Amino acid sequence: MSIEFVAQSKLPTPWGVFTMVGFDDTATGKEHVALVCGDVTGAEPVLARMHSECLTGDALFSLRCDCGFQLQEALRRISEEGRGVLFYLRQEGRGIGLLNKIKAYHLQDGGADTVEANEQLGFAADMRDYSICLPMMRHLGVESVRLMTNNPRKVKALELAGVPVAERVPLQVGKNRHNEHYLQTKMGKLGHMMQEEHFKTDDAS
Ligand SMILES: Nc1nc2c(ncn2[C@@H]2O[C@H](COP(=O)(O)OP(=O)(O)OP(=O)(O)O)[C@@H](O)[C@H]2O)c(=O)[nH]1
Ligand SMILES: [Zn+2]
């Protein structure tokens, strides 16, 4: 197995103090982390988020997508529940990398949607590989998850990778005028399940 545990430490956040567990994927050189809250071992399914890296949304305040809002909401909910894990997966741009994502955004500035842009660059719409998740879960003693996602294909891909998903928990936050079209494309072309009435009214504008 190419996932190796390297180190862990405390990580204080606005929502509480998590334990940050760092892993090295020796096959790709990617460094993944899990933010753990409470005792996540045992048979009771664990509230979890498998969050794919989005530098622009998670760290640079981008309103082009909903990633940063989902990241914060997931940490808040895990903290509120007192038990859960956020896996931060270094699969930037649905697996095509940051610089290719910028190229895809450039094509989207010219009118392509998120799927067409990937395809024009010679990539599939979603290049992510979830086989890294199970070894990290096993290290933490997580047996099954209540997965926060709007993406049923992610649920299927995780199950195919051996991850027991006990439940899908919707995570609809962060809709704004800049990402409306992007969210529509995710629903229309990528199978995401989102309902207008489930968006919080205080989302970014
Ligand atoms: N290639 C590409 N990647 C994008 C684009 N917008 C966001 N991303 C990446 O998409 C990933 C997040 O995927 P989403 O489809 O938004 O969400 P998801 O994780 O599959 O589904 P949820 O669990 O519901 O959030 C992150 O890696 C982002 O960097 C885009 O326009 N093009
Ligand atoms: Zn994003």
Side-chain angles (χ1 to χ4, degrees):
M1 183 43 67
S2 67
I3 294 288
E4 289 177 6
F5 163 76
V6 176
Q8 72 180 52
S9 72
K10 285 184 185 168
L11 189 76
T13 73
W15 305 277
V17 181
F18 289 77
T19 301
M20 177 166 62
V21 186
F23 299 91
D24 182 20
D25 182 347
T26 55
T28 61
K30 295 259 165 87
E31 299 170 327
H32 307 285
V33 295
L35 300 188
V36 181
C37 173
D39 180 1
V40 293
T41 62
E44 185 67 26
V46 172
L47 184 64
R49 167 86 180 146
M50 303 292 184
H51 191 85
S52 301
E53 177 175 14
C54 176
L55 181 88
T56 45
D58 298 340
L60 301 179
F61 318 103
S62 170
L63 297 177
R64 284 192 88 123
C65 59
D66 51 350
C67 306
F69 303 97
Q70 289 181 310
L71 177 62
Q72 295 198 20
E73 176 68 6
L75 289 173
R76 192 192 65 74
R77 286 192 202 171
I78 288 169
S79 192
E80 190 177 80
E81 181 143 320
R83 180 176 186 257
V85 188
L86 182 131
F87 293 89
Y88 195 85
L89 310 173
R90 310 299 298 281
Q91 311 203 82
E92 172 62 69
R94 294 197 298 272
I96 67 174
L98 177 62
L99 300 182
N100 284 323
K101 187 174 83 170
I102 298 174
K103 289 181 189 173
Y105 278 167
H106 178 68
L107 292 170
Q108 289 172 64
D109 289 342
D113 69 33
T114 183
V115 171
E116 291 161 352
N118 259 39
E119 286 167 353
Q120 285 175 30
L121 292 169
F123 299 112
D126 194 338
M127 310 272 291
R128 285 175 288 184
D129 172 8
Y130 292 101
S131 65
I132 51 180
C133 298
L134 190 61
M136 291 194 276
M137 282 173 58
R138 287 204 169 127
H139 176 88
L140 300 175
V142 173
E143 293 179 18
S144 64
V145 292
R146 285 165 47 227
L147 191 73
M148 287 183 272
T149 182
N150 306 316
N151 183 356
R153 293 183 195 178
K154 184 191 265 185
V155 175
K156 279 210 186 79
L158 282 166
E159 286 173 338
L160 277 174
V163 173
V165 180
E167 183 190 344
R168 181 185 76 84
V169 180
L171 186 60
Q172 278 188 228
V173 278
K175 185 176 171 201
N176 65 74
R177 66 193 165 89
H178 304 279
N179 66 16
E180 239 162 3
H181 181 248
Y182 170 70
L183 296 180
Q184 283 298 335
T185 305
K186 289 215 296 190
M187 283 189 272
K189 290 193 171 179
L190 295 172
H192 285 237
M193 299 174 80
M194 291 185 244
Q195 287 161 291
E196 193 63 43
E197 61 271 25
H198 287 175
F199 278 105
K200 286 166 99 184
T201 47
D202 60 348
D203 281 351
S205 57

